[in-house]
Amino acid sequence: MSNDRKSTSNRKDEQLENYRTYDQGKKMTTNQGQKVSEDEFSLKAGERGPTLMEDFHFREKMTHFDHERIPERIVHARGYGAYGDFHVYDDSMKEFTKADFLTDPQKTTPVFVRFSTVQGSKGSPDTVRDVRGFATKFYTDEGNFDLVGNNIPIFFIQDAMKFPDLVHAVKPEPHNEMPQGGSAHDTFWDFVANNQEAAHMSMWAMSDRGIPRSFRMMEGFGVHTFRLVNERGEAHFVKFHWKPKLGVHSLVWDEAQKLSGKDIDFHRRDLYEAIENGDYPEWELGLQIIREDQEFDFDFDILDPTKVWPEEDVPVQIVGKLMLNRNVDNVFAETEQAAFHPGHVVSGIDFSNDPLLQGRLFSYTDTQISRLGGPNFHELPVNRPVCPFHNNQRDAMHRTTINTGQVSYHKNSLADNTPEPASEEEGGYVHYQEKVEGHKIRARSESFKDHFSQAVLFWNSLSDVEKEHTISGYSFELGKCENRSVQQQIVDMLTNISLDLARPVAENLGIEMPQEGGSNITKSSPALSQKNTSFKAETRKVGVIVGDGFNGKEVNDVIAGLRKEGLHPEIISSALGTCKAADGPELEVQHTFLTADSLLFDALYCAGGQNTDEAFRKKAKDFINETFFHCKPIGATHEGKAWVEEQGIDTAPGVIKGEEPDAFTPGFIEAVACHRFWDRQVI
């Protein structure tokens, strides 16, 4: 960070410090502050007698425990968060907005980000196929701005009126409360078949975007069309994007399913460990901007939340950077009690008439009141702005502000009419003065009724491998449906997109093969394919299989070379403790074959060992085969080369063999950066 940039990034942390407690080394007390002399036994009438009602310590402890849980979020219940900083690169956005945090490159704004899945409960696995939430709270000097988005740039529905229906459909079915954490069931796909505005979003969810490798390797999107308003009162339509430094990468479906059992916390662990290791995740903020006089210049309605603005048509302007650099101290107090709301905006940012956004502006306040017990959720430490707030709102559950004085209304003379509204020049929020005309009507604009053109655009933009994965996604999800009519309806819907999609899915389901359909649309958007993302090796985890008698010097040199380039090698062997080298230093074992799995690593390095037995080598080969099956990079030196050669995969793409560290290590790192080798033929 530039030394001359005005850093406000510590202001939030300084504020939170007022609420932290440090219990280590302290004497135990009740919540009222009375020191307690015993915390093992309740107060009784005799050693074997009844517990006495007067035991205030027991009553307080048990009563608090009985009330520790709060209602989980209806959607996005499974989440994880962290703090960080945001800054813009220059003042070029002054042309479009008066929002200070987007125009002052000398200022750093503290943020809190919460990632989440949508469908599952708080205890569901991280790696299910689902949309991921990407919600950012900016603690600006003008108040909090919440950018409440997802890792997919569109949504299933166009009007908030249908949101309860969508959620009822995707949630576990009410008669048996299954399935948990997934959309592979009848009611969800029945909803999609009969509400085909969801066709485009279903394509994204069934693609690799639905199973991200990491929160750190996801894009984020504001989804809705907002407005930017400048000092002259001029407005532009805008969409917000987060572009990850590490590129956009995904798991494969077999891997994602197995990870749900091997490590239910895979994504949250990945984020937590990255921050603890100093591998601070970074995203760049990009804006797509459209002038108001261009609103009707496109072949889609820019207010339709089921549509993207193709980046080739409306370029993304990169304006700033987000870095997450501190984990929370307490997940409940901070991540669970964080309350986001798309209506939390600051001057210079305004709303459009997107009907889904308009409904969310009501719903989010309502749901936070239900979940957090009242309207004072803004006073919780994680939600408090870093700037002062003054108004005439009073009382209610969990109020912590102590308002002084006799006046709590406007206008007044007893307090000199304060707190008083601020003028626009003083920073007062002024809504953009859009002229609105029309009859009161329950209807959908004709411009919202094209549900398939952009689904075709998305399909056309995918690589062949991504198309295969999308076909498999639909085939799996629909294959879990019990109702054959629902399966047929979805296949019939897919014929509006491509027969190359619909027919393989129909074949996999064993239902009627569509004969007609497809689209004449040939347009594609390369920005939609993960094939065109950035590829980096840094921060990737490498499982290193080592047995006793390994070549100590050369293997340690390889490990040092990996660490130097920002990778994280972790040692796997048959038992914890140390692994003895034939020469050179020993290695501390971090995982055993029992506690680790190839699924937990981005790549595998087989370092060998002269003193391994058949049981060891069999387990090593199991790791090798699964790593290969998931198309991940494999490196091998010394005895490890024989393990790979015995599997018959030593000449396959992404399998790197060598001996000399200086020759082997760069090639292996280059392979790790490739993420996957999709052109392998599984043996």
Side-chain angles (χ1 to χ4, degrees), residues 315-329:
V316 176
Q317 303 179 46
I318 299 299
V319 301
K321 180 184 288 186
L322 162 70
M323 174 190 288
L324 298 182
N325 53 25
R326 188 171 69 78
N327 284 310
V328 300
D329 292 302

Side-chain angles (χ1 to χ4, degrees), residues 493-513:
M493 181 190 77
L494 296 180
T495 63
N496 294 288
I497 300 168
S498 174
L499 288 176
D500 291 337
L501 170 62
R503 284 176 173 167
V505 174
E507 182 178 3
N508 291 338
L509 297 175
I511 59 176
E512 183 179 341
M513 183 68 67

Side-chain angles (χ1 to χ4, degrees), residues 331-377:
V331 172
F332 174 80
E334 294 165 284
T335 306
E336 281 306 299
Q337 292 195 121
F340 296 90
H341 183 358
H344 293 165
V345 294
V346 294
S347 292
I349 300 174
D350 209 328
F351 313 111
S352 75
N353 294 330
D354 171 348
L356 182 60
L357 172 60
Q358 291 290 322
R360 291 179 76 196
L361 296 177
F362 164 79
S363 176
Y364 274 67
T365 297
D366 199 41
T367 194
Q368 304 299 0
I369 290 173
S370 173
R371 193 173 66 85
L372 297 172
N376 288 316
F377 57 83

Side-chain angles (χ1 to χ4, degrees), residues 212-462:
R213 156 62 181 86
S214 164
F215 295 142
R216 301 179 295 124
M217 300 171 195
M218 302 189 317
E219 283 185 284
F221 304 92
V223 178
H224 302 291
T225 299
F226 289 84
R227 278 190 172 94
L228 296 179
V229 183
N230 63 21
E231 292 283 2
R232 299 186 297 275
E234 298 165 341
H236 292 77
F237 294 108
V238 64
K239 279 186 179 284
F240 295 96
H241 295 244
W242 291 116
K243 300 290 188 181
K245 173 187 175 184
L246 297 175
V248 185
H249 302 288
S250 297
L251 302 168
V252 296
W253 182 227
D254 180 74
E255 181 184 25
Q257 290 180 286
K258 291 176 178 176
L259 275 169
S260 290
K262 293 288 185 178
D263 186 0
I264 192 174
D265 303 309
F266 182 74
H267 282 153
R268 54 174 57 190
R269 190 185 314 281
D270 174 88
L271 179 65
Y272 179 86
E273 290 182 350
I275 294 173
E276 292 297 298
N277 290 335
D279 294 329
Y280 300 138
E282 294 181 357
W283 292 261
E284 288 190 301
L285 179 65
L287 306 181
Q288 286 180 294
I289 298 174
I290 292 177
R291 300 193 312 270
E292 286 204 312
D293 62 7
Q294 296 175 302
E295 180 177 359
F296 303 105
D297 289 356
F298 303 91
D299 59 359
F300 56 89
D301 195 316
I302 68 168
L303 302 183
D304 183 348
T306 68
K307 303 295 189 295
V308 298
W309 298 358
E311 294 185 23
E312 293 75 17
D313 298 338
V314 186
V316 176
Q317 303 179 46
I318 299 299
V319 301
K321 180 184 288 186
L322 162 70
M323 174 190 288
L324 298 182
N325 53 25
R326 188 171 69 78
N327 284 310
V328 300
D329 292 302
N330 185 283
V331 172
F332 174 80
E334 294 165 284
T335 306
E336 281 306 299
Q337 292 195 121
F340 296 90
H341 183 358
H344 293 165
V345 294
V346 294
S347 292
I349 300 174
D350 209 328
F351 313 111
S352 75
N353 294 330
D354 171 348
L356 182 60
L357 172 60
Q358 291 290 322
R360 291 179 76 196
L361 296 177
F362 164 79
S363 176
Y364 274 67
T365 297
D366 199 41
T367 194
Q368 304 299 0
I369 290 173
S370 173
R371 193 173 66 85
L372 297 172
N376 288 316
F377 57 83
H378 64 282
E379 298 196 38
L380 292 167
V382 68
N383 298 322
R384 293 182 75 93
V386 295
C387 62
F389 54 92
H390 305 282
N391 53 54
N392 291 311
Q393 297 167 23
R394 294 292 188 269
D395 307 341
M397 296 283 285
H398 311 134
R399 185 73 166 179
T400 60
T401 297
I402 301 174
N403 299 102
T404 61
Q406 69 184 116
V407 171
S408 56
Y409 53 88
H410 178 80
K411 298 177 179 179
N412 69 75
S413 62
L414 296 178
D416 296 325
N417 202 31
T418 59
E420 61 181 343
S423 67
E424 185 174 3
E425 292 71 26
E426 294 171 313
Y429 190 94
V430 176
H431 289 268
Y432 177 66
Q433 296 184 20
E434 177 190 15
K435 183 178 181 181
V436 178
E437 293 181 348
H439 300 286
K440 285 191 287 186
I441 185 173
R442 292 188 186 273
R444 178 174 299 176
S445 169
E446 286 294 324
S447 59
F448 275 45
K449 293 184 178 179
D450 171 15
H451 302 323
F452 296 107
S453 293
Q454 287 211 346
V456 176
L457 173 73
F458 182 73
W459 175 255
N460 291 345
S461 304
L462 299 180

Side-chain angles (χ1 to χ4, degrees), residues 25 144 154 160 169 181-182 281 289 306 337 342 408 432 479 490 499 562 596 603 605 647 659 677 679:
N144 289 351
I154 56 171
I289 298 174
T306 68
Q337 292 195 121
S408 56
Y432 177 66
I490 293 296
L499 288 176
L562 297 177
Y605 167 38
Q647 305 311 109
E659 227 34 90
F677 291 85
D679 51 353

